[in-house]
Amino acid sequence: MRFRLEFYQQFQALRYVVEEINRSPDLLPNITLGFYVYDSCSVLKSELQGTLWMLTGLTQEIPNYRCRDSPLAAIIGHSKSTFSILMAHILGLYKFPQISYYSTSSLLSDRTQFSAFFRTVPSDVFQSKGLGQLVLHFKWTWVGLIASDDDYGYEALQVIKEEIVKSGACIAYTIYISTNQKNQDMPKFVKLISKSTANVIIAFSVDVFLIPLLDEMLEQKVTGKTFVASDAWSISTPLTTVKYSTILSGAIGFTFHSSKIQGFQEYLNSLNPINPPGTDWSKMLWEETFNCTFSDHTNLSDILNNEDNICTGKENLEHIHNSYNDVSSLRASYNIYTAVHMIATALDDLSHCQGLTGPFTGGKCSDIRNIQPWEVLYYIKKVRVKMSNQREVYFDKDGNPPAVYDIVNWQPGSDGTLKQVKLGSYDTLNSTGNVFSLNTSLIWWGTVNQETPLSVCSQSCPVGFKKVMEKEEPVCCFQCVPCSQGEISNQTDSIDCWKCPWDMWPSGARDRCISKPVEFLSYVEPLGITLAATSVFSSLVPISIFYLFIHYKSTPIVRANNYSVSCILLVSLSFCFLCALAFIGYPQPEKCLLRQAAFGLVFTLCVSCILAKTVIVVFAFMATKPGSSLKKWTTPRVPYMIITICTFVQFLLCVIWLSASPPFPQYNIEAKPGIIVVECNENSQFAFWCMLGYLGFLASVSFTVAFLARRLPDNFNEAKLITFSMLAFLSVWVYFIPASLSAQGMYTVAMEIFAVLTSSWALVVCMFLPKCFIILFRPNMNSRENIMSKSTDTKQL
């Protein structure tokens, strides 16, 4: 019965606005508006008959014929889109203005078919776009769609799909609820809703089609879903019962914009049911409201005694509150009120036309008392009316008014039922540019902590990650993958990562680039300090031995092992230790240019001295044989010649290297990710390994000769010492090669320094430690007699 009461309120709104305009001295003065009302009873055939009846003015429908005393300016209706389409096809043929107050189908915006159709309610296109934007406003990117299996559902979903997809959101599923068959598919639909990760459902349907779906959700105990309602059910009364509160609490949706009509409630309550226009309807209202009955045969005593609950017509509507006199949220009634004002204003504009300035052929104006439909149509297209709520209403090129909707939220009441609370509005003409005006503090969500529901296919990717789409899945379904090494992303849901500049590196969260630390073996590093101290201390050892040899230079053990060459060897060993310092500290261009060359030359001098000592030992013993031709090679100049030639070859190699491809400092960003290693680039690896290879060749020759001479008789024969020293020397540098290749950054330099120090210590220990021991702790062995006795023993053998 609620709908009947609402319909009668709409009829009363028509009466009220017509009377209001007729009383107005400013709008259509001296002209009285009238109206006809026809009830089609929601039957298409009756609607067709009523349309033709209004056009002809006769009880019999006669096409292309009109018989009316007063001209018919426009027709208001129908509320249903299907009926409005039927009417518009007919009225459009005659250019007869038609204004609907509740038909929302987007088909009616087609001006090629419905050139005379207008409406005071927005098209479904605006609602669909608005709901799509509402979904995105709350960052719901993964939603389900439910619609009735009719034109209303198909048209709405087509628009909202485009709006959602255009914004980057995705649709989890689409369900069409049948309107004319049994609900055998409901269990399958609800199971799909339950399994889906989409927690937000947009529903385009009238409430009667939704009820079977909601009942099945209750049956399967499906909760935790938030509904977004279209205007067809966003203010539905049957769905506000306690039964559906667990499912629909927290729902949010659009409904037609509501407003108030000043003085309208008093007008509704002043109704006299005995003899108003539409007497039958008023009596039905009265009987329903007061639970009484009108009787044509009621006598006076029955009325006075109110026997059999007889309606007297004296009952007071002010004490009753129902959908008839509820004016708190006028929607359809206000749309009718607006439609009549639009027509009246158009007629008023028409009546103010002055001769020769009119819009029609020859500057003609219309006669207000003999108007033609197409003349009114012209003015309705251009009419603009500022309503009492200060909103300006007009029709765009498609006959639609400026779109504005109320946004309502379904909240639980104290009695367990649901109530619809207005949160704000969606206004396409908002002067601030923000179409949404929402009071978020009023929103009630059906979640545990009253937090905005989350409806996404994949969780948002934080900074430092990028989205990687999953194969054959919507764009909203993705994986979050950390940015690759050296890349960052500084925004959520980034689809790509960006490389940092060469001298920068991602932070721990990979959300920004920070300067890379610079690494080199410095004197402030513990490792650098240790190696530098070791180098300096070690260089003092050969110097100390050198001073020891000077002090004992006249002793047999010093004289027997080529005193001068030993001194050169000790000095060069001291420089070998000190050359390690060239590898410590910031790699300056001068350091890079000279350090490897200095290392190669100093070590070549050392090995050349050892080679000279080895060769002299062999020549000395070989020359003792009778008739030997090697006596001429035992002169003091031979070792110096060997040292000079071997060192000069290495000198030439270094000069060629430094001239053709000189080393230089460089920033190495590849060796250690996130660190700039400042190092010396040898420029020519071939030249470097040639220098090192030549040094190894000399050491190998010395080792071979010494090994062959190890059994020569002599208490102070150095061949054995040289054999062990060269073996240690070669072992160190053989192990250095793989170790240096596996080391990174400053540890590569540290490995070379370690090899320099270790190999130098090997020469010092193996060559000079035994001699120092004899000089200091076994002086009895440092005598000519000991040498001569050994020589005599050798001769006896």
Side-chain angles (χ1 to χ4, degrees):
M1 193 63 193
R2 173 176 170 79
F3 294 108
R4 183 182 300 170
L5 297 179
E6 288 178 346
F7 292 159
Y8 192 62
Q9 183 197 71
Q10 295 164 18
F11 168 70
Q12 292 295 89
L14 177 63
R15 286 186 57 199
Y16 178 79
V17 67
V18 169
E19 293 177 11
E20 180 184 68
I21 292 171
N22 287 336
R23 292 195 304 268
S24 172
D26 302 320
L27 193 60
L28 293 176
N30 302 320
I31 296 176
T32 302
L33 292 181
F35 61 88
Y36 297 95
V37 177
Y38 183 85
D39 186 4
S40 65
C41 299
S42 295
V43 177
L44 278 174
K45 180 182 178 181
S46 300
E47 182 63 34
L48 178 59
Q49 291 174 338
T51 302
L52 294 174
W53 170 79
M54 285 186 285
L55 289 175
T56 61
L58 300 174
T59 56
Q60 182 180 0
E61 303 84 25
I62 304 175
N64 301 322
Y65 181 79
R66 184 173 65 175
C67 180
R68 284 190 176 277
D69 294 332
S70 300
L72 185 63
I75 294 177
I76 299 175
H78 193 280
S79 59
K80 291 184 178 181
S81 294
T82 304
F83 290 74
S84 290
I85 290 173
L86 175 63
M87 293 175 61
H89 276 299
I90 299 173
L91 297 176
L93 297 174
Y94 301 100
K95 304 295 182 182
F96 220 104
Q98 174 190 358
I99 301 179
S100 173
Y101 59 93
Y102 227 65
S103 296
T104 60
S105 173
S106 59
L107 295 176
L108 289 164
S109 297
D110 185 358
R111 303 311 276 174
T112 60
Q113 296 188 68
F114 312 111
S115 58
F117 179 82
F118 304 89
R119 49 186 158 194
T120 54
V121 63
S123 165
D124 284 334
V125 171
F126 295 102
Q127 178 185 203
S128 299
K129 288 183 177 181
L131 287 177
Q133 293 173 20
L134 180 69
V135 166
L136 300 176
H137 177 81
F138 290 109
K139 299 180 180 179
W140 296 326
T141 59
W142 185 238
V143 298
L145 298 180
I146 296 176
S148 53
D149 191 11
D150 54 17
D151 289 342
Y152 174 70
Y154 288 126
E155 293 171 19
L157 289 200
Q158 181 180 357
V159 175
I160 200 169
K161 281 181 179 179
E162 293 176 357
E163 192 71 23
I164 289 176
V165 172
K166 181 175 66 176
S167 62
C170 302
I171 297 166
Y173 54 83
T174 301
I175 295 174
Y176 288 100
I177 304 173
S178 178
T179 59
N180 54 9
Q181 294 180 1
K182 295 182 179 179
N183 299 317
Q184 67 271 18
D185 291 331
M186 285 303 172
K188 179 179 69 175
F189 291 157
V190 173
K191 189 170 293 185
L192 173 62
I193 293 172
S194 177
K195 289 183 177 180
S196 175
T197 56
N199 295 323
V200 172
I201 304 169
I202 304 175
F204 278 88
S205 174
V206 295
D207 50 11
V208 292
F209 298 148
L210 275 180
I211 288 175
L213 180 73
L214 299 176
D215 289 339
E216 185 62 31
M217 290 180 69
L218 289 173
E219 182 69 22
Q220 297 188 26
K221 298 180 180 178
V222 178
T223 56
K225 307 294 182 180
T226 299
F227 277 85
V228 178
S230 67
D231 57 33
W233 68 277
S234 59
I235 54 172
S236 168
T237 299
L239 298 182
T240 59
T241 59
V242 178
K243 177 181 180 180
Y244 301 115
S245 60
T246 56
I247 299 177
L248 296 179
S249 61
I252 192 169
F254 277 12
T255 186
F256 297 133
H257 180 61
S258 62
S259 192
K260 294 183 178 181
I261 302 175
Q262 187 175 3
F264 186 48
Q265 187 168 37
E266 292 77 6
Y267 182 83
L268 292 173
N269 290 334
S270 65
L271 174 67
N272 182 351
I274 302 301
N275 196 26
T279 303
D280 292 339
W281 293 337
S282 61
K283 288 184 176 180
M284 292 171 62
L285 164 69
W286 216 263
E287 290 177 349
E288 176 68 22
T289 301
F290 296 106
N291 194 24
C292 61
T293 305
F294 282 100
S295 175
D296 295 335
H297 305 290
T298 301
N299 56 40
L300 183 59
S301 60
D302 291 337
I303 294 176
L304 294 176
N305 297 325
N306 199 16
E307 295 180 1
D308 297 327
N309 202 19
I310 301 299
C311 296
T312 65
K314 302 296 184 181
E315 291 82 1
N316 192 348
L317 286 170
E318 293 181 357
H319 303 301
I320 301 297
H321 183 74
N322 56 20
S323 56
Y324 166 72
N325 58 8
D326 180 8
V327 296
S328 59
S329 298
L330 295 176
R331 291 185 171 89
S333 297
Y334 192 80
N335 291 341
I336 293 174
Y337 181 84
T338 302
V340 175
H341 266 286
M342 298 291 281
I343 296 170
T345 304
L347 291 174
D348 189 62
D349 294 341
L350 181 149
S351 67
H352 284 86
C353 177
Q354 297 181 357
L356 301 179
T357 61
F360 305 115
T361 305
K364 293 181 179 180
C365 295
S366 301
D367 182 2
I368 188 66
R369 304 189 183 277
N370 187 27
I371 55 176
Q372 299 299 318
W374 54 269
E375 295 173 336
V376 181
L377 179 63
Y378 171 85
Y379 282 97
I380 287 181
K381 288 180 180 180
K382 297 182 176 298
V383 69
R384 301 179 80 95
V385 178
K386 193 167 187 178
M387 303 301 295
S388 57
N389 58 5
Q390 302 305 309
R391 284 189 59 83
E392 186 177 40
V393 183
Y394 57 89
F395 298 119
D396 64 14
K397 60 183 180 60
D398 296 321
N400 297 310
V404 57
Y405 292 91
D406 289 342
I407 301 175
V408 295
N409 180 219
W410 290 43
Q411 302 180 6
S414 57
D415 58 352
T417 60
L418 295 170
K419 58 181 180 179
Q420 292 120 5
V421 177
K422 181 179 176 180
L423 302 177
S425 63
Y426 170 79
D427 188 353
T428 57
L429 292 184
N430 193 313
S431 58
T432 63
N434 185 11
V435 293
F436 285 107
S437 175
L438 277 176
N439 186 350
T440 54
S441 63
L442 295 178
I443 300 180
W444 193 96
W445 298 114
T447 54
V448 177
N449 298 322
Q450 283 300 296
E451 296 178 349
T452 303
L454 187 66
S455 188
V456 294
C457 182
S458 300
Q459 293 293 332
S460 179
C461 291
V463 294
F465 289 76
K466 66 177 179 180
K467 296 195 298 185
V468 175
M469 303 304 169
E470 296 186 7
K471 189 176 181 180
E472 297 181 356
E473 293 289 340
V475 295
C476 300
C477 301
F478 51 81
Q479 291 182 345
C480 294
V481 178
C483 289
S484 302
Q485 186 172 274
E487 296 182 339
I488 66 162
S489 67
N490 55 7
Q491 58 188 20
T492 57
D493 288 332
S494 175
I495 60 175
D496 205 355
C497 296
W498 301 274
K499 279 189 174 295
C500 288
W502 71 272
D503 60 341
M504 304 189 79
W505 191 251
S507 61
R510 299 191 182 188
D511 59 343
R512 59 192 176 92
C513 293
I514 57 177
S515 297
K516 288 182 179 179
V518 176
E519 179 185 280
F520 59 91
L521 187 60
S522 68
Y523 286 103
V524 298
E525 294 281 346
L527 180 59
I529 295 173
T530 302
L531 292 175
T534 304
S535 175
V536 173
F537 170 77
S538 300
S539 68
L540 299 177
V541 174
I543 297 298
S544 300
I545 297 174
F546 175 69
Y547 283 117
L548 183 67
F549 270 40
I550 292 176
H551 189 267
Y552 291 95
K553 65 180 180 179
S554 59
T555 60
I557 195 169
V558 176
R559 294 177 62 190
N561 291 284
N562 202 327
Y563 168 74
S564 299
V565 175
S566 295
C567 289
I568 295 173
L569 177 60
L570 286 170
V571 172
S572 62
L573 280 172
S574 180
F575 280 112
C576 285
F577 284 119
L578 291 175
C579 78
L581 298 176
F583 293 86
I584 305 174
Y586 191 86
Q588 301 289 346
E590 297 80 9
K591 278 187 177 182
C592 291
L593 184 67
L594 298 175
R595 69 180 189 177
Q596 294 291 4
F599 153 73
L601 287 172
V602 172
F603 264 82
T604 299
L605 180 61
C606 284
V607 177
S608 298
C609 291
I610 294 172
L611 178 61
K613 291 168 72 69
T614 308
V615 170
I616 291 301
V617 169
V618 174
F619 283 178
F621 281 96
M622 295 296 291
T624 59
K625 294 181 180 181
S628 175
S629 61
L630 295 177
K631 289 184 179 181
K632 62 181 180 180
W633 295 103
T634 58
T635 62
R637 283 179 287 184
V638 171
Y640 300 117
M641 184 176 61
I642 294 173
I643 294 172
T644 302
I645 293 173
C646 292
T647 306
F648 183 70
V649 171
Q650 184 72 291
F651 176 76
L652 286 178
L653 289 175
C654 290
V655 169
I656 294 172
W657 177 19
L658 298 183
S659 300
S661 299
F664 59 89
Q666 72 169 10
Y667 295 116
N668 188 341
I669 61 174
E670 302 295 335
K672 299 179 74 174
I675 295 176
I676 298 177
V677 178
V678 186
E679 61 184 12
C680 290
N681 188 324
E682 313 306 345
N683 200 354
S684 174
Q685 290 295 318
F686 175 77
F688 171 75
W689 287 108
C690 282
M691 181 269 292
L692 202 61
Y694 177 71
L695 183 60
F697 169 73
L698 292 180
S700 300
V701 172
S702 298
F703 169 74
T704 304
V705 175
F707 180 79
L708 294 175
R710 71 190 186 282
R711 296 186 182 277
L712 294 176
D714 190 352
N715 274 359
F716 302 105
N717 181 11
E718 286 187 304
K720 292 181 181 179
L721 302 180
I722 293 172
T723 300
F724 284 112
S725 64
M726 287 296 98
L727 181 62
F729 182 86
L730 289 171
S731 299
V732 169
W733 287 102
V734 167
Y735 281 110
F736 161 74
I737 295 173
S740 65
L741 294 176
S742 61
Q744 291 182 339
M746 67 178 184
Y747 296 103
T748 302
V749 178
M751 286 299 301
E752 187 168 356
I753 295 173
F754 180 78
V756 168
L757 296 177
T758 306
S759 59
S760 299
W761 269 108
L763 296 179
V764 171
V765 171
C766 294
M767 291 290 295
F768 295 101
L769 184 61
K771 299 174 184 179
C772 293
F773 181 78
I774 291 174
I775 292 172
L776 296 175
F777 302 106
R778 294 287 189 270
N780 59 315
M781 296 179 64
N782 189 9
S783 64
R784 184 178 179 80
E785 291 75 13
N786 187 42
I787 297 175
M788 295 307 293
S789 64
K790 182 64 180 177
S791 300
T792 302
D793 294 341
T794 303
K795 290 178 181 179
Q796 291 176 354
L797 292 174

